[in-house]
Amino acid sequence: MDNDRQPESEMDLARHASFLAAAATLPPAARLCINRCNLPAWILGSLAFQRHPVPLAIDGVHDFHSDLCRRLDPIADHGARAQCFADYMTVRFCLEDLEEAGLTPGRRKKSRANANYLRLVRGWSFDSDGREGAVLKYWAETRFGLLARHHGRPLHGRGSEDYLWFQGEAVRGIYGTNAVESQLDLLYTYCQYELARQHPGTTHLTLHRGINSIGDHEVLGREPDGSYLVLLNNLNSFTSDRERADEFGDYLLTAQVPRAKVFFYNRLLPGMLKGEDEFVVVGGVYGVRIATL
């Protein structure tokens, strides 16, 4: 009996060792030691997570907004759920009555009135290296513990001038807003809720990204099957439309993206976000295919 069990034990140890090796792939310089998520950055940003994902949850969101799910559950139509979510955000964060939320009347009121989750994701679609993009990348840092690697230029670590400039852009985008980071927490949580309803039992989505050269990304190594190990920025734009990705570069990067790492996608809020096929994805280490177009 013992001899029969030994191969299984050795196989289990080999699998465990393989998992630990994949989990150790996220470089220490690309992560924070703490985050606001149910998994630490070194796990959720690893190759092991891409291969074996589990649901991610931002601290406190379900507890504070459990009534939202109760409202959404009986609604069968996707568009009606999106409207319910938008109405909930408007009321919860006083988006149409910022003075009720504590904003002091004055000349800044008009400029800050649109500084909400919709303005940020629309700004990302227009220019992911703009101020709205800086806010979203900073949000991803604080929630998932994955440091931004690029924002208009490479960011060379937390002490570099480039990184301090990036932080300044993010802080200026957040200043004076009405809990915009909490709004983004809810947007991510609603996105995960919708993906679970529309794609039950699915753990990954096949997504594409057009790039100009392989050097556009931080390549960590190669897999035996020829795929690349790359360290992606903490937030990245992908598309579900391969032909659309072809328009943005000479190479096609294709990844199996864990459903848990989709922050939002344009069809999530029909009529509220432009475009149809963009997915914004939380980064980390990914095994990807890169093909010449």
Side-chain angles (χ1 to χ4, degrees):
M1 294 290 290
D2 289 341
N3 290 336
D4 291 338
R5 291 177 181 173
Q6 187 64 26
E8 290 185 7
S9 177
E10 291 176 354
M11 185 177 297
D12 289 342
L13 287 173
R15 288 173 178 168
H16 182 63
S18 176
F19 178 85
L20 289 178
T25 53
L26 182 66
R31 65 180 188 253
L32 297 172
C33 59
I34 59 173
N35 62 14
R36 301 181 190 179
C37 189
N38 59 323
L39 287 178
W42 71 272
I43 292 179
L44 70 85
S46 69
L47 181 64
F49 186 89
Q50 185 201 12
R51 293 172 173 171
H52 309 286
V54 296
L56 297 175
I58 298 173
D59 296 344
V61 176
H62 287 289
D63 293 334
F64 283 112
H65 302 284
S66 57
D67 54 330
L68 175 59
C69 284
R70 288 195 296 269
R71 297 182 189 190
L72 294 171
D73 284 343
I75 303 175
D77 178 67
H78 166 58
R81 289 195 300 271
Q83 188 60 57
C84 177
F85 170 76
D87 292 343
Y88 181 90
M89 295 289 280
T90 297
V91 173
R92 186 78 181 199
F93 294 100
C94 304
L95 298 183
E96 295 180 353
D97 188 4
L98 295 181
E99 289 183 19
E100 180 67 21
L103 182 68
T104 302
R107 63 180 183 178
R108 289 188 60 83
K109 179 178 179 180
K110 184 177 181 180
S111 66
R112 305 316 292 167
N114 293 325
N116 56 44
Y117 73 104
L118 284 173
R119 172 69 175 270
L120 292 175
V121 297
R122 287 169 179 159
W124 172 279
S125 296
F126 178 74
D127 180 10
S128 62
D129 288 325
R131 183 165 294 176
E132 291 88 354
V135 173
L136 296 185
K137 292 169 188 174
Y138 183 76
W139 170 84
E141 284 194 352
T142 60
R143 271 46 183 177
F144 301 108
L146 302 175
L147 288 172
R149 307 292 295 173
H150 192 279
H151 185 72
R153 67 189 80 165
L155 303 178
H156 302 288
R158 298 182 68 191
S160 68
E161 290 186 8
D162 289 328
Y163 184 82
L164 294 177
W165 164 81
F166 157 73
Q167 280 195 317
E169 285 291 289
V171 170
R172 281 187 286 272
I174 293 170
Y175 177 75
T177 60
N178 181 24
V180 73
E181 291 176 288
S182 295
Q183 294 178 39
L184 297 175
D185 292 345
L186 262 181
L187 178 64
Y188 168 78
T189 302
Y190 173 62
C191 176
Q192 291 300 307
Y193 175 90
E194 272 299 314
L195 287 173
R197 287 195 66 163
Q198 294 183 33
H199 305 280
T202 300
T203 59
H204 293 79
L205 302 176
T206 301
L207 299 178
H208 312 282
R209 177 180 173 90
I211 61 176
N212 290 319
S213 72
I214 298 172
D216 289 347
H217 292 79
E218 296 182 67
V219 178
L220 303 180
R222 298 289 297 271
E223 292 278 70
D225 64 358
S227 60
Y228 289 79
L229 292 183
V230 298
L231 174 59
L232 294 180
N233 204 3
N234 64 351
L235 277 184
N236 311 267
S237 287
F238 279 79
T239 178
S240 57
D241 185 345
R242 179 185 174 122
E243 292 185 1
R244 177 69 173 161
D246 290 352
E247 301 174 8
F248 291 92
D250 299 322
Y251 294 86
L252 181 71
L253 184 152
T254 300
Q256 295 299 312
V257 175
R259 194 178 75 185
K261 281 196 168 184
V262 178
F263 173 25
F264 69 86
Y265 57 101
N266 283 13
R267 294 191 185 192
L268 178 66
L269 300 174
M272 301 177 206
L273 299 177
K274 295 182 179 180
E276 295 183 345
D277 300 306
E278 182 179 13
F279 285 71
V280 178
V281 170
V282 177
V285 177
Y286 281 75
V288 303
R289 295 279 184 180
I290 298 178
T292 304
L293 297 176

